[in-house]
C-alpha cells in the first residue's frame, strides 16, 4: 500500500510517497514540471519487492513546502533539495529516476554529487542544455540573453487556468487538455488523478512559470531570474561536462518516439513554433533554429560513454512524453534491467 508523509530536511519539508513496510534498494523517482510525485505511483506499485520506491514532491509542487525558485542557480535549488532529502532519510547511493524536468534535476545531482547515485534513469529528460534558445549538439545560445527560452514561453491562458484549478477540457489550454494532448500520446483512463496532481503546481514569478525579461531578439522575451521555467533556461542550466564525474554510474535513457515536448521538433520550443508559422516574424533557421533536444542529450551521453561510463538508449515506439504511464510494462522491463545490472 502506498503511504504518504512529510520528511523534514535541513532545507525544507518534503512530502513524499513510499510503500508501507518496503525495504530494499532505494529507487528515488523524481517527477517533472507541472506534476507531482503522484505521476510515479503506478511505477512504485509495479516495482519488484526487492526495491524500495520513494517519490518526493519537488518544491512548489504537490504538498512539499513551496519555497521560491532561484532560477540563476539553474536546477540546483531542486537538486540540492533532493540531496537533503536523501540525507534526511539516511540513504546511501540510490537508484535515481528522473522524468522530464526531473531528468535535468537528476543530471545536476549526478554532476555535483556522483557518489549519491548508484544508477541513473532518464525518462524523456530535458536536454543538458536546458529548454529552448540553443542550437547544435553542444547547446550554443541562439542569443546571448537566452531569448526564446524561460518563462516567456508559457501560454498565459494555461497559467491562468492552472492557477484557477480548472478541471475541465473546454479550452485547449486547460490542464486536462494539455495532459491529453502533450503529456501522453493517447488519453489515460485514470486522468483525473494526474490532473489533480498538475493542479498542485504553485504559480507566479517565484514558481511557475517565473518572471520574464524583454529582449530585442525574437520572440521578444528572455528568461528572468525567478521561477521554474527560467531555471531550465540555457543561460542558467547547462551540463556540458558530465563525462568528468567519478564514479560513473550506468545511465539508461528511455523515451517515447512520439514525445511532442522533448523532441528535436518540440511543439513547446518557440523556435520550432516559429518555423511552423505559429508564432509570427520568425527570423529563420540561420538566426533562431529549433533546439535539437534529443541530439544534445545523445551527444552528452556519448561523451560520458567515451570517458568510461555505460549508457543505453531505449526508444518506446508510439509512446509520448510519459512513457512510464503509457507503456508501463516496457518501461519497467528496461528500468529493472538497469537496476539489476548495477
Amino acid at each position: 500500500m502506498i503511504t504518504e508523509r512529510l520528511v523534514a530536511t535541513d532545507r525544507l519539508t518534503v512530502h513524499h510517497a513510499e510503500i508501507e513496510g518496503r525495504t530494499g534498494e532505494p529507487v528515488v523517482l523524481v517527477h517533472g514540471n507541472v506534476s507531482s510525485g503522484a505521476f510515479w505511483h503506478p511505477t512504485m506499485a509495479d516495482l519488484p519487492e526487492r526495491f524500495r520506491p520513494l517519490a518526493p514532491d519537488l518544491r512548489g509542487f504537490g504538498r512539499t513546502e513551496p519555497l521560491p525558485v532561484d532560477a540563476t542557480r539553474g536546477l540546483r535549488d531542486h537538486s540540492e533539495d533532493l540531496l537533503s532529502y536523501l540525507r534526511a532519510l539516511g540513504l546511501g547511493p540510490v537508484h535515481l529516476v528522473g522524468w522530464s524536468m526531473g531528468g535535468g534535476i537528476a543530471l545536476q545531482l549526478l554532476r555535483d554529487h556522483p557518489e549519491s547515485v548508484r544508477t541513473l534513469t532518464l525518462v524523456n529528460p530535458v536536454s543538458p542544455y536546458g529548454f529552448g534558445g540553443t542550437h547544435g549538439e553542444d547547446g550554443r545560445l541562439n542569443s546571448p540573453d537566452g531569448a526564446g527560452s524561460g518563462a516567456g514561453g508559457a501560454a498565459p491562458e494555461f497559467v491562468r487556468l492552472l492557477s484557477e484549478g480548472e478541471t475541465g477540457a473546454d479550452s485547449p489550454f486547460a490542464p486536462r487538455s494539455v495532459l491529453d494532448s502533450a503529456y501522453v500520446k493517447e488519453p489515460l483512463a485514470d486522468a483525473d488523478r494526474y490532473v489533480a496532481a498538475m493542479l498542485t503546481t504553485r504559480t507566479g514569478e517565484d514558481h511557475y512559470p517565473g518572471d520574464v525579461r524583454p529582449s530585442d531578439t525574437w520572440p521578444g522575451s528572455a528568461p528572468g531570474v525567478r521561477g521554474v521555467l527560467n531555471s531550465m533556461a540555457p543561460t542558467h542550466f547547462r551540463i556540458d561536462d558530465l563525462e568528468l564525474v567519478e564514479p560513473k554510474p550506468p545511465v539508461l535513457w528511455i523515451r517515447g518516439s512520439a514525445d511532442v515536448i522533448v523532441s528535436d521538433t518540440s511543439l513547446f520550443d518557440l523556435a520550432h513554433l516559429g518555423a511552423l508559422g505559429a508564432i509570427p516574424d520568425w527570423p529563420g533557421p540561420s538566426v533562431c533554429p529549433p533546439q535539437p533536444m534529443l541530439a544534445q542529450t545523445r551527444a552528452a551521453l556519448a561523451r560520458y560513454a567515451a570517458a568510461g561510463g555505460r549508457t543505453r538508449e531505449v526508444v518506446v515506439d508510439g509512446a509520448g512524453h510519459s512513457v512510464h504511464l503509457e507503456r508501463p510494462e516496457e518501461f519497467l522491463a528496461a528500468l529493472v534491467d538497469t537496476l539489476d545490472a548495477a
Side-chain angles (χ1 to χ4, degrees), residues 25-287:
E25 299 175 29
V27 180
V28 178
L29 304 153
V30 186
H31 68 81
N33 192 16
V34 190
S35 63
S36 78
F39 275 74
W40 285 117
H41 288 186
T43 301
M44 294 174 67
D46 290 342
L47 271 172
E49 290 189 4
R50 61 184 178 275
F51 299 110
R52 178 190 178 192
L54 303 161
D57 294 338
L58 300 170
R59 67 165 66 188
F61 301 96
R63 289 159 55 195
T64 286
E65 187 177 353
L67 298 183
V69 175
D70 179 356
T72 66
R73 307 186 71 238
L75 288 171
R76 280 193 171 94
D77 271 0
H78 290 305
S79 66
E80 291 178 8
D81 288 349
L82 184 59
L83 181 65
S84 72
Y85 164 79
L86 300 182
R87 289 173 173 170
L89 292 178
L91 302 177
V94 302
H95 299 292
L96 190 58
V97 184
W99 166 51
S100 193
M101 181 180 79
I105 294 167
L107 282 170
Q108 190 68 68
L109 184 63
L110 173 61
R111 179 63 190 90
D112 294 342
H113 298 279
E115 74 285 349
S116 67
V117 182
R118 185 172 177 185
T119 67
L120 176 63
T121 297
L122 302 171
V123 187
N124 299 76
V126 64
S127 162
Y129 303 110
F131 199 97
T134 67
H135 63 279
E137 291 184 350
D138 55 352
R140 285 163 286 165
L141 291 171
N142 293 344
S143 172
D145 65 357
S149 67
E157 182 67 1
F158 173 68
V159 177
R160 183 183 71 82
L161 293 172
L162 186 69
S163 67
E164 293 177 357
E166 175 60 55
T167 60
D170 292 340
S171 166
F173 295 102
R176 181 179 294 272
S177 300
V178 173
L179 174 72
D180 290 345
S181 64
Y183 281 41
V184 293
K185 177 65 174 175
E186 301 292 340
L188 299 169
D190 51 352
D192 286 352
R193 64 193 291 191
Y194 302 115
V195 173
M198 294 171 72
L199 293 176
T200 66
T201 302
R202 274 62 165 191
T203 56
E205 291 192 338
D206 282 329
H207 298 290
Y208 180 86
D211 63 323
V212 180
R213 293 187 171 182
S215 174
D216 293 333
T217 303
W218 187 93
S221 65
V225 296
R226 300 155 60 193
V228 172
L229 290 188
N230 295 323
S231 73
M232 290 184 282
T235 49
H236 302 314
F237 171 71
R238 60 187 296 119
I239 299 178
D240 50 13
D241 57 357
L242 189 68
E243 67 274 11
L244 299 182
V245 305
E246 291 293 347
K248 289 182 171 65
V251 178
L252 167 66
W253 174 24
I254 182 168
R255 61 183 181 86
S257 67
D259 188 354
V260 300
I261 296 178
V262 176
S263 167
D264 287 350
T265 53
S266 169
L267 295 180
F268 289 72
D269 177 12
L270 299 185
H272 181 61
L273 292 175
L276 294 176
I279 300 176
D281 303 320
W282 179 59
S286 63
V287 176

